[in-house]
Amino acid sequence: MKKKNVCSVIALSLALAVGAIGTGTVLIGSSPVEAAQSVSPEVGRPLQEAQKLAEEKKFNEAIAKAKEADAIGKKSDYETYMINEILGSLYLQTKQYANAAGALEKSLGTGQLAAADSTARVKLLGQIYYQVKNYGKTVEYGQQYLKSAPNDTDTMVIVGQSYYLQKQYKPAGDMMRKVIRSVKGRPNETWLQLLMSIEYEQNNEAGVRDSLEDLIRYYPKDRYWRDYLALVEKDLRGAPTKTALDLLRFRLSSGAMQNAKDYTDMAELALQEGLPGDAQRALEKGKVAGVIGEGPQAGRHERLMTMATEQAAPDKANLAAGESEAAAMPTGDADVLFGEAYWTYGDYASAVEAIQRGLGKGVENEDDAQLRLGMALLGTGDKAGAAAAFKKITAGSPQAKIAALWTLKGSI
């Protein structure tokens, strides 16, 4: 499973209304805390020049003038606020984001911003610090903002990402789960990817599985199926041949076959189980995928295809007669086998009928029969019936693990 850093692009914006700065007393038309606070001439003069230079887009010169004002000693909180608001705006204009954050942080610290503006400033500082990769500060301001806006998705995401990038995986996971739970409907794919990476970094295989299941549920891409099936294969290592065939059948159905070997392995296992229809289907799909009949193994592929085709034709033709014989038997094991054969040829209704008849008479391996029945019912579109059949399988058995795959794929 490939690790990845999942980072969103944060748009930076700041609306500053600094009013008209005069050379004498400076009056701000909409003062942050109280109307009409003053700035001394010593501070106001360089600030006025800074504003004029900014209007002429001479931002570096404007910054120098604002710094000149900042160098004056014994400034009031309001003057410090004004200087740093202007500096912050100028730094943003010139994309000096780290300097902008420092100035706007000083401005916030003066206590001159009104409550609503102060809250907005906290959010902005979190965004800017994320942009400059100061993830500690991003978390600090992001968490502070979330106290007043606990459902702000954008802030939750950058806080979660910042924890992750600092390798603080536990709080990163807590935050990303909160983000995912906060949305109705389909979560953002990158959020799910990030949570999966967080679980992977903590060696939490159960968490990785859960994340992969969500990714498959909402974004059923081949690569997610492959990662998930790799975990299932590990669980089923050493299971019977039939289970290995079932896993390959599922790979074929979900588009998760990886190479020619997968297709030929399925064909060979199917022929061993007396199911040439499965073998033929696998090889035909492999040919369409461009991996069967190509390369140094092309001759072997062709021989396997010939064998499957020659066996499938009479097998399919004799199904009805064989099923009649099975129906007359006192137990249902043969009925289930014929139902499975019908399934391999895509005749799901006949498969359901035969398997249900077998279950009604009693079978030696009920878990296997219920798995076949659920798969056949899914083929007919009966998800509720399939779910009911799968629930009857013994928990933790190989058949239950295969049934869980079909359940996930069918979103039962």
Side-chain angles (χ1 to χ4, degrees):
M1 197 180 309
K2 186 178 179 181
K3 300 178 188 178
K4 58 185 76 177
N5 291 341
V6 185
C7 301
S8 60
V9 178
I10 305 300
L12 298 174
S13 62
L14 179 65
L16 297 177
V18 297
I21 303 176
T23 55
T25 300
V26 179
L27 298 178
I28 305 302
S30 54
S31 175
V33 176
E34 66 180 76
Q37 293 197 58
S38 63
V39 174
S40 68
E42 290 80 10
V43 172
R45 195 173 295 112
L47 288 185
Q48 181 192 34
E49 293 177 35
Q51 184 182 25
K52 183 179 178 183
L53 288 164
E55 289 169 356
E56 296 171 358
K57 300 193 182 303
K58 297 178 180 179
F59 298 119
N60 290 330
E61 292 91 334
I63 288 169
K65 282 295 176 182
K67 283 184 173 180
E68 186 180 313
D70 193 34
I72 295 169
K74 295 184 179 180
K75 296 183 294 294
S76 69
D77 286 343
Y78 183 68
E79 288 172 331
T80 300
Y81 159 79
M82 281 300 305
I83 291 166
N84 284 287
E85 286 291 284
I86 291 170
L87 274 173
S89 177
L90 291 168
Y91 283 135
L92 285 176
Q93 291 274 9
T94 54
K95 298 183 180 180
Q96 299 180 58
Y97 296 129
N99 289 335
L104 296 175
E105 196 170 28
K106 287 179 185 175
S107 173
L108 177 65
T110 64
Q112 296 297 300
L113 281 166
D117 294 331
S118 179
T119 299
R121 176 60 51 81
V122 168
K123 179 178 183 177
L124 177 64
L125 283 168
Q127 292 175 324
I128 297 174
Y129 276 123
Y130 183 83
Q131 186 77 7
V132 299
K133 301 182 180 181
N134 187 331
Y135 302 121
K137 284 283 192 179
T138 302
V139 168
E140 177 188 338
Y141 281 106
Q143 290 285 30
Q144 185 178 335
Y145 179 71
L146 289 172
K147 290 177 182 177
S148 57
N151 297 317
D152 187 281
T153 303
D154 291 340
T155 301
M156 284 192 284
V157 169
I158 65 169
V159 169
Q161 291 170 336
S162 295
Y163 276 130
Y164 174 76
L165 292 166
Q166 295 178 98
K167 300 185 179 181
Q168 297 178 31
Y169 300 122
K170 175 66 167 60
D174 292 342
M175 183 59 71
M176 293 314 300
R177 278 186 285 273
K178 183 179 178 183
V179 173
I180 291 164
R181 288 195 301 267
S182 73
V183 298
K184 293 180 181 179
R186 189 167 73 161
N188 186 291
E189 185 177 6
T190 59
W191 303 348
L192 296 172
Q193 289 173 335
L194 177 57
L195 182 56
M196 183 177 69
S197 293
I198 290 165
E199 303 292 15
Y200 176 71
E201 293 290 356
Q202 298 178 98
N203 297 313
N204 182 1
E205 188 171 300
V208 171
R209 285 175 186 258
D210 289 343
S211 295
L212 275 170
E213 286 177 7
D214 283 338
L215 282 163
I216 289 167
R217 194 169 288 115
Y218 296 112
Y219 303 93
K221 297 178 180 178
D222 291 353
R223 69 177 184 271
Y224 299 140
W225 272 119
R226 290 190 187 106
D227 283 345
Y228 189 71
L229 287 170
L231 296 175
V232 176
E233 282 176 346
K234 190 170 83 170
D235 288 344
L236 294 174
R237 203 164 288 154
T241 300
K242 191 63 168 290
T243 301
L245 175 59
D246 278 328
L247 194 53
L248 286 165
R249 284 169 167 169
F250 186 81
R251 277 191 174 279
L252 188 70
S253 174
S254 62
M257 291 295 214
Q258 299 187 69
N259 49 45
K261 187 176 184 300
D262 281 347
Y263 292 100
T264 56
D265 282 353
M266 179 174 167
E268 289 172 348
L269 289 173
L271 288 170
Q272 287 175 34
E273 292 293 318
L275 296 164
D278 250 0
Q280 184 181 33
R281 183 165 57 97
L283 294 169
E284 286 175 349
K285 287 198 173 184
K287 194 164 188 175
V288 171
V291 296
I292 293 297
E294 304 293 332
Q297 294 291 311
R300 176 172 170 266
H301 298 167
E302 291 300 326
R303 290 190 295 274
L304 202 54
M305 176 68 85
T306 298
M307 186 186 306
T309 302
E310 288 177 350
Q311 291 184 27
D315 181 67
K316 188 174 183 180
N318 295 327
L319 273 181
E323 184 196 357
S324 296
E325 291 180 16
M329 293 179 181
T331 60
D333 297 294
D335 296 285
V336 174
L337 289 174
F338 276 96
E340 183 177 10
Y342 277 122
W343 183 88
T344 67
Y345 293 111
D347 188 348
Y348 303 121
S350 296
V352 169
E353 183 180 349
I355 297 167
Q356 285 178 332
R357 184 173 60 245
L359 281 164
K361 291 190 289 185
V363 295
E364 184 178 344
N365 189 339
E366 185 158 344
D367 283 346
D368 186 75
Q370 293 292 352
L371 174 61
R372 308 296 149 213
L373 178 59
M375 290 165 62
L377 286 166
L378 277 179
T380 68
D382 184 358
K383 290 185 178 182
F390 289 152
K391 283 179 183 176
K392 294 177 183 177
I393 299 173
T394 304
S397 65
Q399 291 87 354
K401 294 182 187 300
I402 298 297
L405 292 173
W406 288 104
T407 298
L408 181 59
K409 182 175 185 289
S411 299
I412 296 173

